[in-house]
Amino acid sequence: MSGPGLLDKFAPVAAIRDALAATGRNPTGLVTERLISPTLGIIEGRETILAGTNNYLGLTFDPACIAAGKAALDTFGTGTTGSRMANGSFASHQALEADMAAFYGQTYGMVFTTGYAANLGILSALLGPGDAVLLDADAHASLYDGCRMSGAQIFRFRHNDTAGLESRLRRLGEQSRRALIVVEGLYSVFGDVAPLAEICRLKHEYGAYLLVDEAHSLGVYGATGRGVAQAQGVEDSVDFTVGTFSKSLGATGGYCVSNNPVLQLVRYTSRPFIFTASASPSVVATAREALNQVSNRPQLREQLWRNAKRLYAAFQDMGLNLGCTVPSPVLAVRFSQRDEAFACWQGLVEAGVYTNLMVPPASPDGSSLLRVSVSAAHTPEQVEQIIAAFAKVVMPVQQRAAESVSAA
Ligand code: PMP
């Protein structure tokens, strides 16, 4: 017998891991040994500013959230030991669902154990064979996996390309009424936002449905923090909003809210809802309190945006090749060479600043980049330290790259 064996597929994975290990620092293996605050940790024994956490509002150490979590541990114990459909539906899960619906001004709310499960659970329930899904090419893996799990026909359109979306809808003809458009609010890698007004216009014109993932925009965009659809004034046109508690709320869990009563039926058909344990009571309690803070402390959002604007302006002054054209709490610096991105990421770690390194195949369009996520909890001094580290480590590399392109 010859041919590849079951486990031979791991050989290229081992090669990548070994190549990273040979550099002395594996970007997927960096460990935060201790946390001093939401934005400061100990990495490799060194105090490091955390600039890649998605902790947009800095709520992970909020005293009220911690107290709520502790109280839930005392009253409801450590875990639910079951799924929502079996034995794991507690009053606090229902309360969180009601909180989410009220926060969005929608009739129905549903919560899941993670954001990933929410996307699998909603998409695999809403869509089925014979349906069509129009998916932005840069959409998160959980959205893609949910579509795949559903068995619907998947049509990907170029990122934020509404002309491409329209031509897909047109070609679907009558079937566009069985189509779901799936996009994100704030895109988590490049920090750009969806052109929702135009997407909503197309959705109405072709009779399709629209789902928006506001995972990175909850608490961040919109007058009351409901996300990009609120910021763009199109909430009434969004059929299903999904998102996560794992970023601005500093907990874990996922949600869907809608005015469509079908959301109440999804509970009976969604396997990622039915066949997994529900969120622990302490996690639910911290998410509820964090949502309360989003509503009652708009100054957190204001501070986040002050920090984001300062960082964006400084990065622009340095001439960095950024992934977005307006200030955003997510800033990505693009590199044409994977090695340059890796060297800059290492240099920043050594300078005491942690960012996210993304290289192919994990990056959306095959580019290599460093991603920074800004937090309301970054002090003005920390923001200046991040800027100084980028000026020292990243700016010279980008200037050299720009010079070699213009000389070519
Ligand atoms: N949607 C988007 C757009 C995301 O970026 C993520 C997580 N990075 C998720 C869903 C999944 O959320 P969670 O990590 O809570 O499972």
Side-chain angles (χ1 to χ4, degrees), residues 85-269:
M85 291 296 255
N87 57 308
S89 214
F90 289 14
S92 59
H93 294 108
Q94 285 186 330
L96 180 56
E97 287 176 334
D99 289 352
M100 287 311 294
F103 175 75
Y104 274 98
Q106 304 270 309
T107 317
Y108 307 102
M110 186 172 173
V111 299
F112 294 79
T113 310
T114 66
Y116 184 85
N119 284 344
L120 288 194
I122 293 295
L123 290 165
S124 64
L126 292 179
L127 294 161
D131 297 329
V133 58
L134 300 143
L135 180 66
D136 185 286
D138 280 7
H140 189 256
S142 57
L143 295 167
Y144 184 67
D145 291 353
C147 294
R148 223 165 34 166
M149 186 175 171
S150 74
Q153 211 176 352
I154 302 172
F155 300 97
R156 294 178 94 163
F157 58 94
R158 265 207 357 235
H159 175 53
N160 276 351
D161 176 11
T162 49
L165 171 62
E166 176 156 30
S167 81
R168 279 284 176 209
L169 282 165
R170 199 178 312 114
R171 269 183 278 164
L172 280 177
E174 266 295 289
Q175 207 200 349
S176 66
R177 293 185 48 256
R178 288 186 68 172
L180 178 69
I181 303 167
V182 174
V183 297
E184 295 179 26
L186 171 67
Y187 281 88
S188 59
V189 176
F190 294 120
D192 53 342
V193 298
L196 288 181
E198 177 62 6
I199 291 170
C200 290
R201 189 189 69 74
L202 292 174
K203 163 216 131 111
H204 287 301
E205 186 175 334
Y206 289 89
Y209 290 83
L210 174 63
L211 177 144
V212 181
D213 183 337
E214 300 270 22
H216 288 265
S217 13
L218 167 66
V220 171
Y221 281 79
T224 63
R226 297 205 291 230
V228 173
Q230 184 182 37
Q232 296 187 8
V234 296
E235 287 180 289
D236 288 349
S237 295
V238 177
D239 298 288
F240 300 95
T241 301
V242 292
T244 176
F245 304 135
S246 69
K247 304 187 190 301
S248 55
L249 301 193
T252 52
Y255 64 92
C256 179
V257 295
S258 178
N259 279 330
N260 196 314
V262 95
L263 191 60
Q264 294 296 71
L265 300 174
V266 165
R267 291 175 194 278
Y268 301 98
T269 64

Side-chain angles (χ1 to χ4, degrees), residues 254-338:
Y255 64 92
C256 179
V257 295
S258 178
N259 279 330
N260 196 314
V262 95
L263 191 60
Q264 294 296 71
L265 300 174
V266 165
R267 291 175 194 278
Y268 301 98
T269 64
S270 174
R271 295 168 68 87
F273 178 77
I274 299 169
F275 295 106
T276 195
S278 58
S280 296
S282 55
V283 170
V284 173
T286 59
R288 288 190 71 197
E289 179 51 35
L291 187 67
N292 188 30
Q293 306 261 336
V294 169
S295 297
N296 295 320
R297 292 174 66 197
Q299 62 272 28
L300 289 175
R301 205 155 45 251
E302 287 157 16
Q303 184 57 40
L304 167 67
W305 279 101
R306 264 195 297 279
N307 289 346
K309 285 176 184 166
R310 169 70 189 123
L311 211 56
Y312 178 80
F315 281 8
Q316 272 214 317
D317 287 347
M318 286 181 219
L320 303 185
N321 182 7
L322 296 180
C324 58
T325 52
V326 290
S328 157
V330 172
L331 294 173
V333 181
R334 289 174 182 270
F335 295 82
S336 55
Q337 304 295 324
R338 176 197 299 234

